[in-house]
Amino acid sequence: MRQLLLFISIIFVGLLFIARLFYLQVYQGNTNNLYEDNAIRKVYDYPKRGFVYDRNGKLLVSNQPSYDVMVIPNEVKPLDTLEFCSLLKITKDQFKNTYEKAWRYSPRLPYVFLPQLSKEDYAILQEKMRKFEGFYIQKRSLRNYETTIGANVIGDIGEVNQRIINNNPYYKMGDLIGMQGIEASYEKTLRGVKGIKFIQKDRFNRDIGPYKDGKFDTLPESGKDIKTTIDATLQAYGEVLMQNKRGGIIAIEPATGEILSMVSAPTYNPNLLVGRDRSKNFTKLFRDTIAKPLFNRSLQGVYEPGSPFKLMNALVALQEGVISTEERITCYTGYRYGNRFMKCHCRSGKQNNMIDGIQESCNAYFATIYRRILDKPGDASVGIDIWSDHVKSFGLGNFLNNDLYVGQKGRIPDREYYRGIYPNTFYSTYTISNSIGQGEVATTPIQLANMVAAIANRGFYYTPHIIKEIKGETIDPNFTTPKYTSIDKRHFEPVVEGMHNVYKNGTAKYVQVPEIEICGKTGTVENFVRIDGVRTQLTDHSIFVAFAPKDDPKIAIAVFVENGYFGSRFAGKIASLMIEKYIKGETTRKDLENWILSHSLENEYAKPYSGEPFKINRGTTLQVISQEEVNELKKQLAKLDK
């Protein structure tokens, strides 16, 4: 029995040795376990990030070399701290705090001790790195913005946080990721794939060479270059026109849905968010809660659309058959319902058909047809849902499912929305403000631009998008498939004709440009804010939407200028200039351009914070900026033309 027990013991021990050898030679050879093996050091090789171009091939974003000082706390030996801090241009307290963070993160894993050294600092430090065991330099690429425009379009890259690391194991502490704009939307395309080298260490923790002769090492894969839909020249022009103003501009090519320009004002130089000063500059921009330069007004700004929304009510009324294009409705300087009165600037007794109603922006006309739409089924509760569904078919009231990093749904109300306000009875007069694009209706600039693109196309649109081409890839079919509205094609021509008349004889006749048939619609929206808890009215917002040319649309545009008075005062001028710039490549209306460049709205924006009483400014007085500032803006335009 003892002999048998001894034999079994020998067999058991032998099997243990075989299992252990199998584990070490086969199982531990798996790359998944190499990441956890403390005897193997992992060195990442970061790929070059893809370049970004505008639609015409102009380079917007490239790369520049950057050097991070890395630390592995367990490998750090006593060092001359003062010399090291002097080389890195940091204080002893900064050294101590960062080292403690690295230790808490992991004593054995690399940690970014100091990111983004300049080439000059790297050259000095590299010669002395051998003196500081446990520290090494890791090379990577930083963004180099070849332009000062389009910060809200391009975005930026920043260091990942723990939440990102937890959600995506690809990223490690110290890695960079797209934070906003194109950099965020197309992060996977632009970033490429990291390479890695596994370095074997001996029992004294010294590097002795590649693990298994580099069998498991991988090379980095560079990120792919992308071509955007943005026209850099048009983008730059829009940003110059919007200086000293706040608001957003979206320009779209109707035939494709490609975004030609996406201006948010005020903006900033994207190069501020590159390098070691990124954190300081970002904090400064983020804490500007008054101008909000990081807030993308063209995508996130939610405004009442005002009179441009009348175009929607005209189309829905025609589709529902509650009005003909020739029927005339009399305006008595407004529309009376119950004991209330909605004012209008039409002369008393003016009779308007649909084209006249759009041209004159008649409130009485659109209040009448709005009520007819809701009352047609015999129950306004049913009518409001029919109306809402038609409007939403233009992409309003919801996300557009585009490739832009941020956005807002806006609001197109239906019966369910009003149920909390009017739980029992519901009449069309309760929501009459929707007829003129105020009340509960709310849209973003990109939604309005898309709405106008659908009108320009006579009933369909392509999802607005910012990607034009990725080498070796096809564009998402969502961006190349037309989306049809619920309005029949035949109903669009009278609305288009009305928009054309806005330029020929209506509210935009003074902002016409030669040789281009533009169709547009002005909008003036009341502007209320709360000051010390009191709802206070400020100067109206200026809104304008347009497309051109009339019969072969190349551009559709929406312009919002906060506190910009009436529609044609600021927004209309900017829209006309942008259209001419894109179609002709130049601007002939220098009078409009000079007026926009020389007038500022900064005094309007300062009113709520001045502590002084103020009156609503209807346009009698405007702030004129100095000639020196105007000359500087003209220099920017001259560079743009070159």
Side-chain angles (χ1 to χ4, degrees), residues 586-629:
E586 61 178 355
T587 52
T588 59
R589 288 297 306 268
K590 293 298 180 182
D591 56 326
L592 298 184
E593 183 178 271
N594 289 333
W595 192 94
I596 287 293
L597 295 180
S598 62
H599 288 85
S600 169
L601 290 169
E602 292 296 341
N603 60 335
E604 291 291 338
Y605 306 134
K607 284 180 177 180
Y609 309 99
S610 65
E612 300 177 3
F614 57 86
K615 296 180 180 179
I616 302 171
N617 194 333
R618 294 297 182 187
T620 54
T621 305
L622 276 172
Q623 180 184 358
V624 179
I625 64 176
S626 68
Q627 189 58 48
E628 289 77 15
E629 290 179 276

Side-chain angles (χ1 to χ4, degrees), residues 45 49 55 74 79 87 113 147 160 180 216 239 247 317 329 339 368 524 537 546 550 590-591 632:
D45 193 356
R49 201 168 172 90
R55 67 187 296 107
N74 256 0
L79 70 154
L87 289 169
F113 189 84
T147 178
V160 297
Q180 302 176 86
F216 298 105
E239 290 188 10
I329 294 173
N339 60 354
T368 300
T524 305
Q537 186 171 10
K550 176 188 173 187
K590 293 298 180 182
D591 56 326
E632 182 58 36

Side-chain angles (χ1 to χ4, degrees), residues 311 447-457 499 519 545-547 556-557:
L311 304 173
Q447 288 176 332
L448 273 194
N450 186 62
M451 178 194 82
V452 176
I455 295 173
N457 290 333
M499 295 174 70
C519 302
V545 299
F547 70 86
I557 191 168

Side-chain angles (χ1 to χ4, degrees), residues 432-448:
I432 200 72
S433 292
N434 291 339
S435 67
I436 60 171
Q438 297 197 206
E440 289 71 47
V441 174
T443 61
T444 61
I446 191 171
Q447 288 176 332
L448 273 194

Side-chain angles (χ1 to χ4, degrees), residues 380-530:
S381 297
V382 177
I384 189 74
D385 282 337
I386 294 172
W387 170 85
S388 180
D389 289 342
H390 282 306
V391 174
K392 288 175 181 176
S393 75
F394 284 75
L396 302 177
N398 211 333
F399 296 111
L400 289 168
N401 296 318
N402 51 43
D403 58 345
L404 305 171
Y405 185 61
V406 294
Q408 290 288 337
K409 291 177 67 173
R411 183 175 56 248
I412 300 298
D414 53 17
R415 178 64 185 118
E416 190 58 35
Y417 176 86
Y418 286 116
R419 203 172 298 281
I421 308 171
Y422 310 111
N424 300 316
T425 58
F426 183 78
Y427 296 103
S428 56
T429 53
Y430 291 179
T431 62
I432 200 72
S433 292
N434 291 339
S435 67
I436 60 171
Q438 297 197 206
E440 289 71 47
V441 174
T443 61
T444 61
I446 191 171
Q447 288 176 332
L448 273 194
N450 186 62
M451 178 194 82
V452 176
I455 295 173
N457 290 333
R458 277 65 166 178
F460 67 92
Y461 66 90
Y462 292 91
T463 299
H465 55 280
I466 205 163
I467 189 69
K468 188 172 181 67
E469 181 182 318
I470 302 174
K471 188 174 182 180
E473 294 186 15
T474 56
I475 301 301
D476 188 335
N478 176 50
F479 304 145
T480 56
T481 304
K483 281 77 176 174
Y484 288 88
T485 70
S486 60
I487 308 299
D488 294 340
K489 183 177 180 179
R490 69 180 187 276
H491 296 314
F492 284 87
E493 286 307 325
V495 172
V496 169
E497 193 59 42
M499 295 174 70
H500 191 215
N501 276 16
V502 168
Y503 262 91
K504 289 197 299 184
N505 306 304
T507 52
K509 62 183 177 181
Y510 297 112
V511 295
Q512 296 180 57
V513 293
E515 301 173 357
I516 301 178
E517 287 191 308
I518 305 178
C519 302
K521 186 72 190 77
T522 54
T524 305
V525 176
E526 291 183 328
N527 173 25
F528 293 90
V529 296
R530 288 200 171 274

Side-chain angles (χ1 to χ4, degrees), residues 53-94:
Y53 298 86
D54 88 333
R55 67 187 296 107
N56 300 310
K58 180 179 180 180
L59 182 61
L60 300 178
V61 188
S62 60
N63 296 313
Q64 57 180 312
S66 172
Y67 308 91
D68 295 344
V69 178
M70 308 295 293
V71 63
I72 302 175
N74 256 0
E75 299 179 10
V76 174
K77 299 293 190 295
L79 70 154
D80 186 336
T81 308
L82 289 178
E83 181 185 11
F84 193 61
C85 290
S86 175
L87 289 169
L88 296 182
K89 299 177 182 178
I90 61 174
T91 66
K92 192 172 181 179
D93 285 341
Q94 288 175 310

